[in-house]
Amino acid sequence: MTKMEKLTVTNSFTKDPDWWRGAVIYQIYPRSFQDSNGTGTGDLKGIANRLPHIANLGADAIWISPFFKSPMADFGYDVSDYCDVDPMFGTLADFDYMIETAHNLGLKVMIDLVLSHTSDKHAWFEESRISRDNNRHDWYVWSDPKPDGTPPNNWLSIFGGSAWQWDARREQYYLHNFLTSQPDLNFHTPAVQDALLDVAHFWLERGVDGFRLDTINFYVHDDQLRDNPALPANKRNSTIAPSVNPYNHQEHLYSKNRPENFAFLRKLRAVMDKYGAAAVGEVGDAQRGLEIMGEYTAGDDLMQMCYAFEFLAANQPTAARIVEVLQKVDDVAADGWACWAFSNHDVVRHVSRWNLSDAATRTMATLIMCLRGSVCIYQGEELGLTEADVAFEDLQDPYGIEFWPEFKGRDGCRTPMVWENSNQNGGFSEATPWLPVSDAHLQNNVATQTDDPDAMLHHYKSAIALRHAHPALASGTHDNLTNTGDVLHFTREHDGETIFCAFNLSDGPATITLPAGNWTQIGQNLHSADVSGKTVTLGPWQPCLALRTS
């Protein structure tokens, strides 16, 4: 079978076009999930073999980070062939087997499409850089230098330095918002948009149920190449780039977030709608992230969800901060839909980032399952894994190598999944893994936690099961959103079902008053507080979950 040959795939999930609303999506970093062939690197067969774990957890879908053919300068986020599997991960046949396995287990499959840029080894770029008049001369963002030979404007790369790289063949600069080996595609060229829509068609025909769209707000650049204005120091934050990176010194008005992006997103949505597929767009913007999320998910012809960064920040969110974020979403994305996460492959694991106790970790897990929106959990999060300590000599991430030691990169959250503790590799591989397995992780492996009913793994299962059991939590409205000191509380409602949710986000006890009405306790296995009276006393890091009975 050639890779462009159409497959006939029966996808039972297309019957419900709203499957994504309130879904729990499990993110898989394929290098580190399961090695099936002894190379020390995870692969698609390994994913397929471990999917029962995710199904048993109760997740609705998986999101697989890039597995496409790539020179791996940025671990797959530098694509050299959008329609093939990199040999380190297997073959297209392995992908088809993985899809079939997932669907048989009731799991939908979302794949990570990186459309804003390619690898400099992609055939499109190799042709584009040959001359200024070849068939793909305008498929990337090329510009002449200023008269003094410097780059055309002041745009900066997230990975450090100028966003422009000189190319001697064309005697021009090309744009790269990330590594110099990741040139940006030119979305002002219609043929580029058509080619990327063909990529989406290719994977939808193979049976995928949706996409996670990397850096969705970077697709289109300002065609006049105007300078970005400076950002005042009091408005800078390190949500998107570490504080040591000068990228935070600019307001990125022209290098991303352009209004022309909407036209392409509508085309992409039209393609997805034919398959009942859904997308979650990653919005990377430290100043306007929630506003952009609202813009990109408005109506029914753009993206279904956007991936918000507010709870991926360095500081642990307080009750007041969560109220602020959710009220902002109500203001700027009233008819949109957020996808929340506490951890992913780009940030320090939240247990370490926020220095959470076991009780705090459990309460935060319950909390995210009660928020309005969809939820992403990152592999190992269900085990309560901390950030791994990776020595400089073991680092693989170019981002960490560039900014070490002030920023240690992303390898600490990307170390291999721990399945059992029979050897140092945690059941991940029979060979030396591409990143070392953390000693601290080994004791928290899946097998050990499966046998312990009090383990974090079972808490996550219970929290996800609660979300599935109550439509109000999965897809309802949220009202009366407020905080009383360190206690966050709100109600969720859907089709006559009303649930009161309160969370004491502190190390001390707290007291709250229930709303009017009669309530019955739910979530007992999540340590939910008793609601037999009108006043509820919450212990440190204790939730209160109650169903209105009248």
Side-chain angles (χ1 to χ4, degrees):
M1 178 184 296
T2 63
K3 67 182 181 181
M4 292 304 295
E5 189 174 342
K6 180 178 178 179
L7 290 179
T8 300
V9 177
T10 301
N11 188 342
S12 61
F13 305 111
T14 58
K15 294 178 181 178
D16 180 10
D18 286 333
W19 65 262
W20 51 272
R21 191 178 295 275
V24 177
I25 304 165
Y26 186 102
Q27 183 193 354
I28 295 172
Y29 193 68
R31 274 180 168 260
S32 298
F33 199 60
Q34 179 64 64
D35 173 18
S36 72
N37 59 4
T39 63
T41 303
D43 48 56
L44 293 172
K45 281 185 178 178
I47 292 173
N49 293 340
R50 293 295 189 180
L51 287 176
H53 165 73
I54 302 171
N56 289 333
L57 184 64
D60 301 291
I62 57 172
W63 146 28
I64 309 176
S65 292
F67 51 83
F68 314 107
K69 194 172 182 182
S70 166
M72 298 294 164
D74 191 23
F75 304 107
Y77 284 89
D78 51 323
V79 178
S80 59
D81 188 340
Y82 283 111
C83 296
D84 204 357
V85 173
D86 193 274
M88 77 160 52
F89 298 125
T91 66
L92 282 167
D94 294 335
F95 178 83
D96 295 338
Y97 171 70
M98 186 275 300
I99 279 263
E100 181 181 12
T101 303
H103 286 171
N104 287 339
L105 290 167
L107 292 167
K108 299 166 184 65
V109 177
M110 307 181 80
I111 64 172
D112 205 332
L113 279 189
V114 188
L115 302 182
S116 66
H117 54 268
T118 71
S119 164
D120 60 355
K121 305 302 182 186
H122 197 293
W124 298 345
F125 186 73
E126 290 179 337
E127 181 177 352
S128 185
R129 76 190 313 180
I130 291 173
S131 68
R132 300 189 186 194
D133 58 1
N134 65 79
N135 289 335
R136 291 193 171 95
H137 72 279
D138 59 351
W139 277 43
Y140 293 81
V141 184
W142 294 96
S143 179
D144 291 329
K146 289 180 179 178
D148 62 359
T150 57
N153 62 29
N154 70 345
W155 296 354
L156 296 174
S157 163
I158 281 187
F159 284 171
S162 172
W164 296 94
Q165 177 68 20
W166 179 253
D167 186 87
R169 276 157 286 196
R170 287 184 53 144
E171 296 187 27
Q172 287 182 305
Y173 285 97
Y174 66 82
L175 177 67
H176 63 93
N177 274 294
F178 300 92
L179 294 175
T180 58
S181 57
Q182 293 171 295
D184 276 52
L185 285 161
N186 183 8
F187 278 72
H188 293 289
T189 299
V192 169
Q193 295 193 21
D194 291 343
L196 295 175
L197 295 175
D198 286 344
V199 170
H201 269 294
F202 174 81
W203 292 106
L204 289 165
E205 286 291 335
R206 296 199 93 87
V208 303
D209 302 288
F211 303 114
R212 183 265 192 182
L213 298 169
D214 185 66
T215 60
I216 191 174
N217 55 317
F218 283 76
Y219 290 173
V220 182
H221 68 285
D222 175 50
D223 59 1
Q224 298 178 50
L225 301 183
R226 287 171 283 188
D227 279 352
N228 282 326
L231 189 67
N234 63 351
K235 291 187 177 181
R236 298 172 194 163
N237 71 61
S238 56
T239 302
I240 306 303
S243 59
V244 296
N245 190 341
Y247 186 83
N248 295 308
H249 292 227
Q250 290 185 358
E251 184 177 3
H252 301 277
L253 290 181
Y254 299 113
S255 53
K256 60 184 182 182
N257 305 333
R258 302 303 301 155
E260 299 94 329
N261 205 14
F262 292 108
F264 174 75
L265 295 181
R266 289 189 173 95
K267 293 178 185 178
L268 180 58
R269 175 64 183 268
V271 171
M272 293 190 299
D273 281 349
K274 295 176 184 178
Y275 298 85
V280 53
E282 179 200 29
V283 175
D285 192 86
Q287 281 72 50
R288 294 190 59 245
L290 292 177
E291 289 93 336
I292 297 167
M293 181 187 79
E295 294 168 357
Y296 282 20
T297 60
D300 59 3
D301 61 349
L302 293 169
M303 300 298 95
Q304 287 89 346
M305 307 172 277
C306 272
Y307 190 73
F309 276 72
E310 276 60 31
F311 300 141
L312 293 167
N315 295 328
Q316 179 186 322
T318 62
R321 173 58 177 161
I322 294 170
V323 170
E324 178 187 9
V325 169
L326 297 182
Q327 287 181 340
K328 181 74 171 179
V329 172
D330 288 344
D331 290 340
V332 301
D335 64 344
W337 197 257
C339 188
W340 302 110
F342 290 157
S343 287
N344 69 14
H345 65 294
D346 280 335
V347 298
V348 172
R349 288 184 178 273
H350 71 277
V351 174
S352 296
R353 197 169 75 244
W354 299 336
N355 192 28
L356 298 181
S357 65
D358 182 80
T361 302
R362 291 170 187 262
T363 295
M364 295 303 287
T366 305
L367 168 62
I368 200 171
M369 295 301 164
C370 293
L371 295 182
R372 182 177 183 270
S374 299
V375 175
C376 281
I377 58 176
Y378 178 53
Q379 65 182 51
E381 178 179 339
E382 74 277 22
L383 305 177
L385 296 187
T386 56
E387 184 81 351
D389 186 14
V390 181
F392 180 78
E393 56 268 24
D394 292 324
L395 282 186
Q396 302 291 323
D397 183 13
Y399 206 0
I401 293 169
E402 174 71 20
F403 288 105
W404 179 278
E406 287 76 16
F407 174 65
K408 295 184 179 181
R410 302 163 294 180
D411 287 336
C413 66
R414 296 177 175 183
T415 56
M417 185 72 170
V418 283
W419 298 102
E420 40 88 0
N421 60 359
S422 62
N423 61 31
Q424 178 57 40
N425 297 340
F428 164 73
S429 177
E430 295 178 358
T432 301
W434 75 287
L435 280 174
V437 174
S438 168
D439 288 337
H441 288 181
L442 283 174
Q443 62 186 342
N444 293 317
N445 66 82
V446 172
T448 298
Q449 293 204 27
T450 298
D451 292 337
D452 178 2
D454 295 325
M456 188 66 68
L457 173 61
H458 294 288
H459 184 90
Y460 266 83
K461 286 183 179 180
S462 296
I464 295 171
L466 182 77
R467 185 177 181 87
H468 286 154
H470 296 284
L473 295 179
S475 56
T477 61
H478 66 192
D479 301 293
N480 307 310
L481 178 67
T482 189
N483 68 289
T484 302
D486 292 320
V487 179
L488 167 71
H489 45 100
F490 51 85
T491 55
R492 302 292 312 278
E493 185 171 355
H494 178 78
D495 198 21
E497 180 185 61
T498 302
I499 295 177
F500 174 71
C501 304
F503 302 88
N504 180 8
L505 305 183
S506 76
D507 293 324
T511 301
I512 59 168
T513 301
L514 288 170
N518 294 315
W519 302 89
T520 184
Q521 179 189 25
I522 59 175
Q524 290 90 334
N525 54 353
L526 299 170
H527 308 291
S528 176
D530 177 67
V531 293
S532 56
K534 295 299 181 184
T535 300
V536 178
T537 298
L538 296 172
W541 292 101
Q542 185 177 23
C544 173
L545 305 168
L547 175 69
R548 187 195 296 272
T549 55
S550 63

